[in-house]
Amino acid sequence: MKKIGLVGGTGPESTLMYYKELNSRIDKITDGNAMPDIVIESVDFRRAWDYVCSERYDELADYLSEKVTSLQNSGAEVISLTAVTMHLVIDDIIAKTKADLVTIPQAVCSEALSRGYKKIGLLGTIFTMEQDYMKKDFRNAGIEVIVPSKEDRELVAKRIYEELEAGIVKDSTLKELQGVISRMRDEDGIEAVVLGCTELPLILNSGNCPVPCLDSVEIHINELIKQTV
C-alpha cells in the first residue's frame, strides 16, 4: 500500500474529514487488515488565505510547494491538496516540485464525465467561482460550467468563510444555499452542482441538494483510495 501525503489545514475541518475517511474506508476495503500510512503537512490557513486575498500567488505557490516537498521527502507517494482554492496555483506547484499530484478538479471532472453531465453548477469560495482553475478541466471535456449571480456568489463565499471554515452549520444557511442551487437549476438549467469547496459537504449532500451533487471531498477521497490500495 502506498503512503499518502496531504497538504492540510485549509481548512482544518476538511482535513479531519480526509484523515478519518481515508483510514476508515481503507480499513473496510481490506477487511480490517490494513490502514494507510498518512502524513499531513498542515499549513497556516490565515497565512495562505492572506496570500490568496492579496493576490500574492508566487508566495502562495512557494509556501505550498515547500509543504509538498516535505511530503515527498517523507516518502509519500500519493500526494494531494485538501482544499479547492489552493488549486489556484496547482500548475506552479507541479512545476516547482515535479510531483504527480492527485488533483480535485481532475477527479471531479472525471466523475462528471462518467455520469454524462453536460451542464453543471459550481459553488465554492469567491476565487473558485470567479477564476478558472476549477473550470478548465470541465470546459476542456465539453462540460459547461455555470456559477451563481454576483449576489449569490458573495453570499456563498461569506457563509463558507465565516461559518463552514469554523465548522458552524446552520439550518438558515442550508436554506440559503438550497435557494441558490434551485435558482441555477430553474434559470440556467444545470443538471448537477459541484460542491467546489471541501467544507460545503458539511452542509450539503445528495439528500438535501435540489439537484444531484458532485461532492468534491467524496470524489477526491475515492480517487486517492484507488491510487493507494
Side-chain angles (χ1 to χ4, degrees):
M1 188 181 300
K2 294 178 180 178
K3 186 174 184 179
I4 300 172
L6 303 175
V7 178
T10 50
E13 293 297 324
S14 65
T15 306
L16 288 172
M17 282 193 286
Y18 273 85
Y19 183 76
K20 179 180 178 181
E21 292 300 316
L22 286 168
N23 273 288
S24 61
R25 294 188 196 189
I26 290 176
D27 187 43
K28 184 176 181 180
I29 288 170
T30 61
D31 295 322
N33 290 314
M35 297 175 79
D37 288 327
I38 300 176
V39 59
I40 299 173
E41 276 287 331
S42 187
V43 309
D44 175 349
F45 173 74
R46 301 301 179 194
R47 177 180 172 184
W49 194 249
D50 182 57
Y51 287 152
V52 172
C53 293
S54 57
E55 299 185 4
R56 291 151 63 194
Y57 299 143
D58 288 345
E59 291 176 78
L60 177 65
D62 287 342
Y63 184 40
L64 296 178
S65 294
E66 289 174 8
K67 300 298 184 179
V68 170
T69 298
S70 181
L71 293 171
Q72 290 173 309
N73 292 338
S74 75
E77 301 165 271
V78 178
I79 301 175
S80 68
L81 311 182
T82 61
V84 176
T85 301
M86 298 302 122
H87 284 72
L88 190 154
V89 292
I90 194 68
D91 291 339
D92 291 334
I93 295 170
I94 292 172
K96 290 174 182 291
T97 64
K98 311 304 181 189
D100 185 16
L101 299 179
V102 182
T103 74
I104 294 174
Q106 289 175 345
V108 180
C109 179
S110 294
E111 180 66 20
L113 278 172
S114 73
R115 298 190 193 184
Y117 294 137
K118 298 297 184 183
K119 182 184 285 190
I120 59 169
L122 173 63
L123 300 185
T125 64
I126 201 72
F127 306 97
T128 295
M129 290 184 287
E130 295 187 350
Q131 297 199 37
D132 210 40
Y133 54 90
M134 190 65 188
K135 302 171 187 173
K136 60 183 179 181
D137 287 306
F138 293 98
R139 288 173 176 162
N140 290 340
I143 299 173
E144 186 177 357
V145 180
I146 303 295
V147 297
S149 66
K150 185 176 187 297
E151 181 180 355
D152 281 345
R153 291 198 301 272
E154 291 173 352
L155 170 67
V156 172
K158 181 179 177 68
R159 296 296 182 254
I160 289 172
Y161 185 72
E162 295 183 357
E163 297 175 15
L164 299 179
E165 289 284 2
I168 300 169
V169 178
K170 298 180 179 179
D171 287 340
S172 57
T173 296
L174 172 59
K175 291 177 182 177
E176 288 175 329
L177 296 178
Q178 289 171 327
V180 170
I181 296 167
S182 294
R183 283 190 286 279
M184 297 170 73
R185 177 197 62 200
D186 298 341
E187 297 172 10
D188 301 303
I190 64 169
E191 303 165 273
V193 65
V194 175
L195 305 184
C197 170
T198 47
E199 273 72 37
L200 281 170
L202 294 172
I203 194 167
L204 286 167
N205 55 63
S206 58
N208 62 21
C209 193
V211 298
C213 62
L214 291 157
D215 180 338
S216 59
V217 173
E218 176 77 12
I219 294 166
H220 193 215
I221 287 173
N222 286 338
E223 184 60 30
L224 289 170
I225 291 171
K226 280 172 56 180
Q227 298 201 29
T228 300
V229 178

